[in-house]
Amino acid sequence: MQATADDQPVFTGDRRARLDAIRARYPTKRAALLPALWLVQEARGWISDAAMGEVAEVLDLTAAYVKGVVTFYTMYHQHPVGRHFIQVCTTTPCNLCGAEGVIDAFLTQTGCRELGATSPDGRFTVVEVECLGACGFATPVLIDDDFIESVTPENVPGLLQRYP
Amino acid sequence: MGFPHAPHPKETVVLSRHFGDAEARTYAGWVKRGGYAALTQALAMKPAEVVELVKASGLRGRGGAGFPTGMKWSFMPKEKTKAHYLCCNADESEPGTFKDREIMRWTPHALIEGCAIAMHAIQAEVGYIYIRGEFTEPIRIMQAALDEAYREGVLGANALGSGKRLDIWIHRGAGAYICGEETALMNSIEGRRGNPRIRPPFPAQAGVFGLPTTVNNVETLTSVPAIVAQGAAWYQKLSLSNPKSAGTKLFSVCGHVARPGNYEVTMGFPLQELIYDMAGLRPGRTLKACQPGGSSVPILNREETEACRLDYEGCVAQGTMLGSGGLIVFDDSADMVYQIMRLARFYAHESCAQCTQCREGTGWTVRILERILSGKGAMSDLDLLLDVGEQMTGKTICVLSDSCAVPVASGIKKFRGEFEAYITGARKPVLAVA
Amino acid sequence: MADSPPPVRLTIEGAQVVVPRGTTILEAAKQAGVLIPHYCYHPGLPVAGVCRMCLVQIEGIPKLQIACATPVAEGQVVNVFPPEAVEARKGVLEFLLINHPLDCPICDQAGECELQDYVFREGRAQTRYTPTFAKRFNPVEEFGPDVLYVPNRCILCTRCVRFMDHAAGDAVLNVSERGDRALIGVHPDRPLDHPWSGNVVDLCPVGSLISRDFLHKARAWELDKTASICTGCSQGCNIGIETRQNTVVRLRPRSNDAVNRYFMCDHGRSHYRWMNRGDRIEAPLVRQDGALVAADWDEALRQSAELLGGAGGDVVVLAAPHASNEALFLARAVAGPRFRGAFRVERVADEHPLPGVPGLALRGERAPNVKGAEMLGYAERFADQLAGLRKASVALVLDEALDGIPTDALAAVPHVIYAGTMLPEAARGAAVVLPVTTVAEEDGTLVNRDGRVQRYFQARSGPGMARPAWWALGELRATLGRGEPLGSSAEAFALLAAEVEGFGGLTYEGLGLLGAVLGARAPAGVTA
């Protein structure tokens, strides 16, 4: 993910054009909120209070309203995360297939040691998530935008090497 | 199945015919396989005729509720005085379910075709495919297919030369199981928190943006083109048991099985054949329990599983529900108490927070189960769990609350011994909770 | 004339009720004298249906239904207290209490808390959420200059969020997070400082949103509550003055659909400390040997009557536009045929509407009885009359604080009778000083900007020998031989109504607690 400087507005140039194209799909400005928040996260890696204020202004909403939406959806980061964000499913179908062993392997191999924490070198953050909708391919893992199936504790080290 | 294994001989392959076939993803590949002929046919029919056809087929919603699709479409205003909308529910988050993902990543054009036919039937010019945010690959593939569809004139201002406008957009979710509930999905499209709405009004009267809307599941919509092409009678005949449940269904088999995956069988198929003969148990293991329709349906023990037929009525007869068809299998090594606790944690995490019973009850349920698993439970906890579950049932805006209570209640009823073992200390604690 | 749809007849708890089509069961139940327990519902806000407290049984429908969102239907039979519904509500209360702390001993809401009320009525005696489970904890937050949020007590009814969004038109409150982690939130860049934000404290059913101004000041059961009218501007919001041991500690809105519905603005709400001021004139004063000395009422009134009776020229009445109609009317009466009435009013440029209630705003006209003064013959020409005082015989100053007036401004007129609450420098040359009561210390009426005459009632006792202005002026009038003494402000009002056009047909009884619009033949007010 490419970050832009935090003090610059997100919705300029190409990104503004993309937002405008998205807005045209809906009869209200409010409906472009989830897509707009994805654009912010794409640009910055997370969504700050200031960014929420910018989105609010662009879409004629209040900043408090935007914050209420950001905090509802778990995929929007409200603080900076590691360079690579790892989401491991441990809900029952995957739990039956050893998902907790997978998440332990990630915690150990990344150096994160704790769920939600970023590794000391800033490279990884590991979180436990709910059902990822790939229960037949246990254990599925999302690393950044890569949806990886059938992860076992054994293939965790090799997987991590692909994410510098 | 088609992917990752070749279809099993006992399957009836309709929806999954092209799973694993990369060429089927492309417009050219899809047309070569007969794609978009049904849409062409439908566009030449009157909307009401398409509705009647789907009604006659007996197609029922494949997302979990099983509501007759043609009837749902018929709730839309016949006379169009304002904009109508179709929302395709691709939020697939019910634990155990992974069929819509496969449909989208192998046959994206099938979904587009199904959406387009539905939009014509309900007189909608705009459709949104609400795809959960985590489905990065289906989103990429669906977007590429939509781009092709526009390029080829299937979508746009003059769909397939019919003079009708059909626009379909992807709306990406951002991590909320509750957005699979149709009114929460509509709120999410509107840029709101994914809170389910009180009803009335119903979506067909006032849905997304307050306008007439129909929300359908991916598998439901993908079933439509074949019905248009081959007729209602053909679809009706795809049933082993009962005319009220027609067609084929993708069953997402997962958990303690040797060959997990999506098995496509006709309605009324015996559940035990799916588990024993097709997916197969792991070597040396015996079946303890299953949930045939995702984590929100009552747990079946082995006897009930072996007696169960996979259609809407057959499942109800065994005291469970067909639901989404997400079949979670528990063999004799499964710790039922732990897995039920993990399910309760799921619901507690996903509760939207509107209704008191759900907001507080899911968390309380988790804490009692954790207490039992940490060796600090009491026998009275079981009655407490059942009572809390009772208060969480039938009293809220949506059924997430009920869905948390269901596995707990059926688990205590059928596997009480496992709970008691933790309480009496016969089984050592597996959690350390303060 | 269009045909309105026929009303709906239904049975609620055995009582037959007839209501307009579209009424909710919860509102219809009020007619049957049944209060269906609820939290998130409020008649001034859009329906949410989230607390699930108002679950009732409707015969023929298997599942319990929420009364706040279910419209009535012909022939419906609704039961509020069958065991299933009572159990369900008991369940809601138990769920609310699992994280809600036992803060009652330190919570301002105690005694007027809807959670306490319903738990006592329908809740469990003991919780089953055992002590080994920790309750959710979050520290207190300052939402704005006055409003504090105690997250632990919040029951997520969302009344506050809906108020700010729909009534105030400024969505600065949100629901944040999900599940039992959910809280009310603000964005750090926008505190809760909207001119109508104090209403969220009233709306909060529990002690989660509280007022810093009222924090730990009094216990709800110690408070005496009296109906009154806000004097902050000319909107005339209906309020309640709440006192503890004769000290005003809080003002809160009182509902009146025709004026302020359920709300009052922050300016009016905070405008009460002056009612407790101790630097009051506590005895009548007369001039003796060049100085003002305390006297009794008889002497002060005798001297005043002498001055007014012997007045050869104009009697200028400089009145404040918060004086009651009764006082203004009687001041004109005692001034006689050479009456010149004037007032001045603070006018602020900006108005602050509450968009969700049409016609409701904090008005730029910062006084409650401008219209009354005008109707009773007073003109907004204070400066002119002040300048022309040398041509007058007597100046009768009625409750005007004379702020910003030079101390010798009244020196030009031979005689000054000062009827007021405090003694300003400019009035020290007065011949007679009459201590009068404030709006909190008497009964009377005011006319708001929309021409609505509204009653206010005595909430505290005035200091020392202070008496209502209507009484003092009524005595003066009697002494001057212009009528009988008046025994009550109601009698004063009756006199006024008989003589002043527009007030005709109005009586105190008819005005009741909701008032009536001037010029209406029959009083529109509903008695208490």
Side-chain angles (χ1 to χ4, degrees):
Chain A
M1 291 188 247
Q2 286 158 346
T4 61
D6 279 357
D7 58 353
Q8 298 301 308
V10 171
F11 294 107
T12 55
D14 175 57
R15 213 168 279 115
R16 181 62 199 242
R18 285 167 69 193
L19 179 62
D20 288 340
I22 289 167
R23 275 169 48 170
R25 302 176 186 170
Y26 308 96
T28 67
K29 284 188 199 167
R30 190 195 301 265
L33 179 53
L34 270 75
L37 292 171
W38 278 118
L39 286 174
V40 172
Q41 188 150 295
E42 191 189 282
R44 293 278 164 76
W46 66 295
I47 306 176
S48 64
D49 280 334
M52 292 182 213
E54 188 194 341
V55 170
E57 224 186 280
V58 168
L59 297 178
D60 278 345
L61 303 166
T62 61
Y65 177 89
V66 172
K67 186 157 184 155
V69 171
V70 170
T71 58
F72 181 88
Y73 296 97
T74 58
M75 292 189 79
Y76 294 132
H77 307 315
Q78 296 164 56
H79 53 80
V81 296
R83 226 164 31 248
H84 303 293
F85 191 72
I86 302 172
Q87 306 178 60
V88 184
C89 173
T90 62
T91 310
T92 294
C94 290
N95 208 292
L96 290 170
C97 298
E100 294 196 359
V102 171
I103 210 168
D104 285 341
F106 271 107
L107 283 174
T108 320
Q109 300 287 329
T110 56
C112 286
R113 284 176 304 151
E114 210 180 275
L115 291 171
T118 301
S119 58
D121 58 5
R123 190 171 157 201
F124 295 114
T125 304
V126 180
V127 296
E128 181 178 24
V129 294
E130 300 298 337
C131 182
L132 280 174
C135 324
F137 303 89
T139 300
V141 172
L142 258 173
I143 303 183
D144 302 333
D145 283 339
D146 298 335
F147 195 102
I148 303 154
E149 297 167 347
S150 307
V151 178
T152 64
E154 291 70 42
N155 50 35
V156 166
L159 204 50
L160 290 175
Q161 275 179 11
R162 298 190 341 217
Y163 296 92
Chain B
M1 181 185 313
F3 183 85
H5 306 292
H8 190 280
K10 288 191 178 183
E11 289 188 62
T12 304
V13 171
V14 175
L15 299 172
S16 54
R17 191 139 137 243
H18 305 293
F19 282 13
D21 179 355
E23 204 197 38
R25 282 180 185 149
T26 65
Y27 172 80
W30 185 244
V31 169
K32 201 158 99 187
R33 288 155 180 73
Y36 289 121
L39 175 59
T40 310
Q41 194 182 328
L43 287 172
M45 293 163 72
K46 291 209 192 57
E49 289 171 343
V50 181
V51 173
E52 283 313 302
L53 172 59
V54 171
K55 254 195 196 165
S57 73
L59 173 65
R60 290 165 70 164
R62 298 291 198 242
F67 194 87
T69 309
M71 192 185 303
K72 197 185 228 190
W73 289 4
S74 75
F75 292 156
M76 294 290 279
K78 306 289 180 299
E79 259 204 53
K80 185 174 170 177
T81 56
K82 18 190 181 173
H84 291 185
Y85 287 89
L86 175 76
C87 295
C88 169
N89 190 341
D91 191 59
E92 188 162 69
S93 309
E94 182 73 25
T97 320
F98 51 99
K99 58 187 175 71
D100 297 336
R101 175 170 173 257
E102 297 303 291
I103 290 174
M104 286 189 284
R105 65 188 191 133
W106 294 115
T107 56
H109 283 282
L111 177 58
I112 294 174
E113 188 168 9
C115 287
I117 295 174
M119 286 164 69
H120 174 60
I122 65 170
Q123 303 180 81
E125 291 185 339
V126 176
Y128 299 108
I129 303 180
Y130 187 100
I131 308 183
R132 62 178 294 182
E134 299 88 340
F135 274 3
T136 49
E137 187 194 2
I139 289 171
R140 263 198 315 271
I141 294 175
M142 283 305 308
Q143 189 58 63
L146 283 169
D147 292 343
E148 278 191 303
Y150 272 98
R151 267 203 304 278
E152 300 292 339
V154 174
L155 299 174
N158 186 8
L160 285 186
S162 66
K164 294 195 187 330
R165 173 189 166 220
L166 290 176
D167 272 325
I168 299 178
W169 313 112
I170 291 174
H171 187 95
R172 186 182 182 194
Y177 159 75
I178 189 58
C179 288
E181 197 279 341
E182 67 174 10
T183 61
L185 186 147
M186 296 191 299
N187 270 343
S188 191
I189 289 179
E190 289 186 15
R192 303 181 190 279
R193 289 167 61 91
N195 289 338
R197 299 176 180 177
I198 54 176
R199 275 145 287 191
F202 291 88
Q205 274 62 60
V208 74
F209 309 116
L211 296 166
T213 305
T214 296
V215 183
N216 284 134
N217 172 259
V218 167
E219 189 184 358
T220 311
L221 290 166
T222 317
S223 302
V224 168
I227 292 171
V228 171
Q230 304 189 59
W234 162 80
Y235 198 71
Q236 277 279 329
K237 285 206 198 72
L238 293 171
S239 171
L240 288 175
S241 52
N242 163 0
K244 285 205 238 167
S245 295
T248 64
K249 172 109 186 60
L250 290 168
F251 286 91
S252 304
V253 188
C254 59
H256 286 160
V257 289
R259 289 171 300 281
N262 285 298
Y263 292 87
E264 187 172 4
V265 294
T266 53
M267 284 292 184
F269 196 84
L271 173 52
Q272 64 174 343
E273 283 185 39
L274 198 42
I275 296 176
Y276 291 143
D277 303 336
M278 294 159 80
L281 293 177
R282 298 180 302 169
R285 292 276 157 220
T286 56
L287 179 66
K288 184 191 287 195
C290 83
Q291 288 177 291
S295 62
S296 306
V297 306
I299 304 172
L300 296 181
N301 60 26
R302 184 167 74 219
E303 289 69 36
E304 291 162 334
T305 305
E306 290 174 353
C308 187
R309 289 199 156 257
L310 285 171
D311 61 28
Y312 296 99
E313 289 67 31
C315 286
V316 169
Q318 289 304 319
T320 188
M321 297 192 296
L322 190 75
S324 63
L327 172 50
I328 309 173
V329 177
F330 303 83
D331 71 25
D332 56 298
S333 72
D335 179 346
M336 295 310 291
V337 185
Y338 189 87
Q339 293 307 330
I340 289 169
M341 180 278 296
R342 185 58 187 84
L343 282 181
R345 274 189 189 163
F346 166 78
Y347 292 109
H349 193 232
E350 298 295 339
S351 170
C352 76
Q354 286 190 106
C355 301
T356 306
Q357 294 94 334
C358 180
R359 181 177 74 244
E360 304 291 349
T362 50
W364 192 4
T365 300
V366 170
R367 269 165 248 141
I368 299 171
L369 289 165
E370 286 177 344
R371 176 164 70 194
I372 291 173
L373 286 161
S374 65
K376 305 213 172 90
M379 285 302 181
S380 56
D381 282 344
L382 298 182
D383 288 326
L384 182 58
L385 279 169
L386 292 174
D387 202 48
V388 169
E390 176 68 35
Q391 289 309 317
M392 289 170 68
T393 303
K395 300 176 173 66
T396 48
I397 296 174
C398 84
V399 295
L400 190 151
S401 184
D402 309 54
S403 299
C404 178
V406 159
V408 174
S410 54
I412 290 174
K413 181 166 154 202
K414 299 171 191 182
F415 299 97
R416 193 177 185 102
E418 294 197 31
F419 289 85
E420 289 181 347
Y422 276 112
I423 292 169
T424 61
R427 186 160 184 180
K428 287 215 298 278
V430 292
L431 284 183
V433 176
Chain C
M1 209 161 72
D3 278 329
S4 45
V8 177
R9 264 177 308 216
L10 69 153
T11 308
I12 300 179
E13 277 297 300
Q16 261 263 324
V17 171
V18 183
V19 290
R21 194 162 298 268
T23 307
T24 60
I25 292 179
L26 194 149
E27 284 294 334
K30 291 179 184 176
Q31 278 205 23
V34 176
L35 173 61
I36 298 176
H38 61 277
Y39 291 117
C40 67
Y41 174 76
H42 188 279
L45 301 174
V47 170
V50 295
C51 73
R52 315 309 293 179
M53 192 59 193
C54 66
L55 289 166
V56 295
Q57 183 193 76
I58 301 175
E59 283 181 18
I61 300 181
K63 278 209 248 176
L64 299 174
Q65 301 297 316
I66 50 173
C68 66
T70 307
V72 295
E74 184 70 27
Q76 230 171 20
V77 178
V78 179
N79 300 313
V80 182
F81 301 103
E84 195 198 344
V86 172
E87 278 304 300
R89 293 197 297 270
K90 195 192 245 185
V92 171
L93 292 168
E94 187 177 29
F95 284 129
L96 288 175
L97 286 174
I98 70 175
N99 275 308
H100 189 95
L102 281 179
D103 272 0
C104 301
I106 55 163
C107 176
D108 279 348
Q109 200 84 5
E112 54 187 18
C113 170
E114 297 181 53
L115 186 57
Q116 280 185 336
D117 292 346
Y118 292 135
V119 169
F120 273 101
R121 268 174 56 167
E122 294 195 321
R124 294 184 157 269
Q126 281 207 301
T127 183
R128 296 176 295 180
Y129 193 75
T130 59
T132 55
F133 289 150
K135 287 180 185 270
R136 169 194 67 220
F137 175 82
N138 288 287
V140 176
E141 292 178 47
E142 295 178 2
F143 271 1
D146 185 61
V147 179
L148 298 174
Y149 178 59
V150 186
N152 305 336
R153 301 176 187 163
C154 181
I155 60 170
L156 262 276
C157 74
T158 71
R159 278 184 181 179
C160 56
V161 177
R162 283 175 282 138
F163 173 80
M164 290 312 299
D165 191 2
H166 298 280
D170 189 19
V172 294
L173 293 180
N174 65 29
V175 178
S176 288
E177 305 300 327
R178 230 167 45 195
D180 61 6
R181 289 83 57 205
L183 299 169
I184 305 300
V186 286
H187 187 275
D189 295 346
R190 277 294 314 279
L192 182 61
D193 57 6
H194 188 278
W196 292 80
S197 59
N199 290 293
V200 301
V201 175
D202 299 334
L203 288 167
C204 183
V206 298
S208 183
L209 285 169
I210 51 179
S211 161
R212 203 201 289 265
D213 182 84
F214 186 68
L215 190 62
H216 297 160
K217 237 170 52 178
R219 282 319 219 163
W221 55 85
E222 297 175 319
L223 299 174
D224 293 309
K225 301 175 196 198
T226 312
S228 190
I229 303 294
C230 179
T231 57
C233 78
S234 57
Q235 180 73 50
C237 291
N238 288 204
I239 64 171
I241 297 180
E242 303 188 6
T243 61
R244 176 174 178 269
Q245 297 174 3
N246 213 43
T247 303
V248 178
V249 294
R250 183 167 69 176
L251 301 182
R252 286 213 297 184
R254 184 166 53 90
S255 74
N256 186 331
D257 271 346
V259 184
N260 57 312
R261 296 215 74 205
Y262 308 94
F263 312 117
M264 74 184 293
C265 73
D266 291 7
H267 169 77
R269 193 184 285 273
S270 58
H271 189 65
Y272 69 87
R273 287 189 158 76
W274 65 269
M275 297 176 185
N276 297 324
R277 287 180 71 158
D279 50 345
R280 297 279 296 271
I281 315 166
E282 301 211 4
L285 306 171
V286 295
R287 195 154 288 280
Q288 196 180 88
D289 301 325
L292 284 171
V293 300
D296 61 24
W297 272 102
D298 284 343
E299 181 56 27
L301 287 171
R302 190 193 62 75
Q303 289 198 25
S304 303
E306 237 177 59
L307 294 173
L308 287 165
D314 290 349
V315 177
V316 175
V317 182
L318 301 171
H322 57 255
S324 67
N325 294 322
E326 293 80 355
L328 290 166
F329 169 74
L330 290 167
R332 185 174 78 180
V334 305
R338 298 291 299 267
F339 160 80
R340 296 270 175 278
F343 69 91
R344 60 174 177 166
V345 56
E346 183 196 354
R347 289 181 184 283
V348 169
D350 292 325
E351 296 205 325
H352 298 285
L354 188 66
V357 182
L360 180 61
L362 165 58
R363 300 294 171 183
E365 220 169 40
R366 295 296 172 90
N369 202 21
V370 172
K371 195 130 188 142
E374 283 170 349
M375 293 204 59
L376 292 163
Y378 293 74
E380 191 177 348
R381 299 189 55 208
F382 193 88
D384 287 348
Q385 291 298 342
L386 203 60
L389 272 183
R390 58 193 152 72
K391 293 188 257 161
S393 293
V394 178
L396 168 59
V397 183
L398 176 57
D399 211 3
E400 238 285 355
L402 300 178
D403 288 338
I405 304 293
T407 47
D408 60 353
L410 296 177
V413 65
H415 305 291
V416 175
I417 301 170
Y418 186 81
T421 57
M422 285 163 285
L423 192 61
E425 271 302 310
R428 294 214 177 255
V432 182
V433 175
L434 306 174
V436 297
T437 49
T438 67
V439 71
E441 298 156 357
E442 64 183 30
D443 285 6
T445 58
L446 302 164
V447 185
N448 79 353
R449 67 191 299 276
D450 297 317
R452 176 170 287 265
V453 190
Q454 304 187 106
R455 288 181 66 182
Y456 59 89
F457 298 78
Q458 181 177 4
R460 70 186 293 265
S461 50
M465 297 164 72
R467 304 296 298 273
W470 64 261
W471 175 85
L473 295 165
E475 290 296 303
L476 267 180
R477 175 174 161 273
T479 311
L480 289 166
R482 295 185 189 146
E484 293 302 308
L486 299 165
S488 67
S489 59
E491 284 182 37
F493 186 79
L495 209 58
L496 186 168
E499 286 192 26
V500 182
E501 206 179 328
F503 286 86
L506 299 178
T507 63
Y508 263 25
E509 197 179 16
L511 291 177
L513 287 172
L514 298 176
V517 176
L518 288 170
R521 284 266 89 210
V526 174
T527 40

